[in-house]
Amino acid sequence: MWSEGNLKGLMSQLPKVINDANLSRIQECIDYDKFISSYDLGEDLCGTYAPFCEGCDKTREFPCAYAYLKMIQKEGSDIRMEGENVKPTGDADFRGDGARVTRTTKPRSSTAKKPAVKK
């Protein structure tokens, strides 16, 4: 079953601000351990494997990694995902789960010409 040992070793090597490459490494570590445990038990443990499975959003690119980071943040870790705690630019969207997602880049400008101003 769930053993945080290998993951804690990996987390100690990662920066405090986690990017997609780091999320991928965390996901791989969790997937490997989950696969071994699932094989040993003869059933798929997805969704029941670890305490963070409760907060899993399977629609995300790295669902286990993201759920794990959210869990350790709730436990007091100062690790955060890249782009979190960015001051809003006034142009924000909302994900399907209601969380605010702030754009970190400016929207593309329109290719349409603006009408000439009469003098």
Side-chain angles (χ1 to χ4, degrees):
M1 279 309 284
W2 166 241
S3 171
E4 197 171 10
N6 291 339
L7 197 50
K8 279 193 174 190
L10 173 61
M11 295 303 291
S12 69
Q13 299 171 19
L14 297 178
K16 294 291 182 186
V17 178
I18 304 295
N19 61 22
D20 281 351
N22 303 136
L23 281 171
S24 177
R25 290 179 65 193
I26 296 166
Q27 184 71 41
E28 287 174 13
C29 184
I30 293 169
D31 283 344
Y32 177 79
D33 193 50
K34 183 173 53 174
F35 173 80
I36 298 299
S37 295
S38 292
Y39 181 81
D40 288 345
L41 293 173
E43 62 181 275
D44 184 3
L45 295 177
C46 184
T48 61
Y49 163 71
F52 54 84
C53 293
E54 186 177 310
C56 182
D57 175 1
K58 292 180 184 178
T59 64
R60 296 190 69 90
E61 186 173 0
F62 307 106
C64 302
Y66 185 79
Y68 175 74
L69 290 176
K70 287 298 180 188
M71 181 187 80
I72 65 172
Q73 284 176 330
K74 286 180 184 176
E75 294 172 349
S77 173
D78 60 346
I79 288 179
R80 63 181 177 87
M81 268 69 74
E82 194 171 65
E84 279 186 340
N85 299 327
V86 176
K87 289 187 178 181
T89 60
D91 191 7
D93 295 319
F94 288 87
R95 295 192 314 238
D97 61 358
R100 186 178 179 129
V101 178
T102 304
R103 292 185 185 157
T104 55
T105 58
K106 292 181 181 178
R108 293 183 187 155
S109 61
S110 172
T111 57
K113 291 185 178 182
K114 293 182 181 177
V117 177
K118 293 181 180 181
K119 292 184 181 183

